[in-house]
Amino acid sequence: MTLILAFIVPLAVAMLLVRARVATTGEQPRPIAPMTAALFCVVAIPSIAQFEFPGLLSALRRDANEILHHGQVWRLATSLVVQDGGVAGTVFNLMMLLWIAMLATTLLGERNLLLLFIGGAIAGELVGLRWQPIGGGNSVGNLGMAGGLLALAILRGTNLPIRLLAAVGVLLGFVLLFQRNIHGAALLTGIALGFLLLRETKTSMAPAPAVEANHRGG
């Protein structure tokens, strides 16, 4: 349940931010951007192909023994494009990838979308070497992007309920980490990276007044 909430809360926060931005500026959310489409295809094609070629999962997944003792470091990357959760887990991970990436592109931009995905993925995969030695899936990258959206809400939101909801998302990251769940490391890394990107590259982000506005007359 904690992991599901760790996806739902950032999605809810991001959709509220997008709605406020549209109400303030009239700027509609972008359609699927090139970076979003490319990232989705890179992950989705092998993830779907593994059901026709089952050997892909064992060949590409994270395997701590192969990585640490046989030099197969590339598995830290390839484990992101295969899924260990069966059909249901694959559908969920790909759906979340597309949904969160579209929101992150609208609110944070394509470059930052990719940085957040990579940051969350690296954190999750490295922690996974100890906590989950064998596995695969792009959910850690998804939560890296989700963390960036939470950081945006905390830093730039002027509506207290949105900030409080984002704070709940941060708390969920710590709960997952306490549970020794690799997704906690991914989410918290995304939050930290989001803070860094928002503070250092403000000009490339969505304008602060545009993400959460003060409403007139309710």
Side-chain angles (χ1 to χ4, degrees):
M1 177 58 72
T2 304
L3 181 57
I4 298 299
L5 288 174
F7 282 98
I8 292 175
V9 170
L11 281 172
V13 167
M15 288 189 291
L16 289 171
L17 293 177
V18 169
R19 185 177 70 175
R21 178 175 181 170
V22 171
T24 303
T25 67
E27 181 182 350
Q28 294 298 317
R30 296 180 61 182
I32 297 178
M35 183 64 72
T36 300
L39 182 60
F40 182 81
C41 289
V42 166
V43 174
I45 291 172
S47 294
I48 295 171
Q50 77 179 54
F51 295 104
E52 182 67 26
F53 307 100
L56 279 177
L57 177 57
S58 59
L60 301 180
R61 68 188 178 186
R62 179 178 63 256
D63 186 322
N65 181 61
E66 297 293 342
I67 292 169
L68 297 175
H69 302 296
H70 298 281
Q72 297 183 13
V73 181
W74 44 266
R75 285 178 179 267
L76 293 173
T78 59
S79 60
L80 299 170
V81 300
V82 289
Q83 312 290 333
D84 63 4
V87 174
T90 300
V91 171
F92 180 82
N93 280 350
L94 294 180
M95 180 181 70
M96 287 295 105
L97 172 61
L98 189 59
W99 196 356
I100 297 173
M102 289 175 65
L103 291 167
T105 298
T106 297
L107 293 168
L108 298 170
E110 292 184 76
R111 182 182 71 90
N112 295 298
L113 149 75
L114 186 59
L115 291 174
L116 290 163
F117 182 90
I118 293 173
I122 290 173
E125 291 298 318
L126 291 178
V127 171
L129 292 176
R130 184 172 182 85
W131 289 356
Q132 189 181 333
I134 295 179
N138 60 286
S139 55
V140 285
N142 293 350
L143 285 176
M145 296 185 294
L149 293 169
L150 292 176
L152 176 67
I154 292 171
L155 284 178
R156 298 200 177 175
T158 58
N159 183 297
L160 181 59
I162 298 296
R163 287 189 168 188
L164 289 176
L165 186 57
V168 170
V170 176
L171 178 61
L172 289 169
F174 282 105
V175 172
L176 287 170
L177 199 65
F178 179 77
Q179 295 173 343
R180 295 173 65 87
N181 189 314
I182 66 174
H183 297 90
L187 182 59
L188 293 175
T189 297
I191 293 167
L193 185 56
F195 282 138
L196 180 64
L197 292 172
L198 283 161
R199 290 186 181 280
E200 293 192 354
T201 60
K202 288 184 178 181
T203 56
S204 68
M205 298 290 182
V211 296
E212 184 62 31
N214 293 318
H215 296 283
R216 298 179 182 177

